[in-house]
Amino acid sequence: MALPKQGIATATIRGSDGQDFTLAVPAVLHGERLHISADHHSTLRFAMHSAGVENAELEFSEMEVA
């Protein structure tokens, strides 16, 4: 079983005006499941709704913990 990895989930969203913007939130990857806190998930959903986007692809980047 894989250990959870801490990192950042990044979504690049194109707004209805054609402008791209990127959101990054803290996340944990456990196996194939990406876990984001309710507050950060709400932030992503609000930004997507504001941009008129219903779906976005998230990219996970692992952070090294010292």
Side-chain angles (χ1 to χ4, degrees):
M1 177 181 249
L3 293 174
K5 299 176 183 177
Q6 294 184 358
I8 300 289
T10 306
T12 300
I13 299 169
R14 175 163 294 184
S16 56
D17 60 358
Q19 184 106 8
D20 287 343
F21 59 97
T22 302
L23 296 166
V25 296
V28 174
L29 183 64
H30 192 206
E32 293 185 18
R33 296 201 59 144
L34 186 64
H35 299 274
I36 301 171
S37 75
D39 288 341
H40 290 113
H41 185 263
S42 180
T43 299
L44 284 171
R45 296 296 299 166
F46 177 79
M48 289 168 56
H49 178 74
S50 296
V53 175
E54 291 188 23
N55 294 305
E57 189 170 316
L58 296 174
E59 182 176 319
F60 179 79
S61 301
E62 186 176 3
M63 291 182 352
E64 290 190 29
V65 179

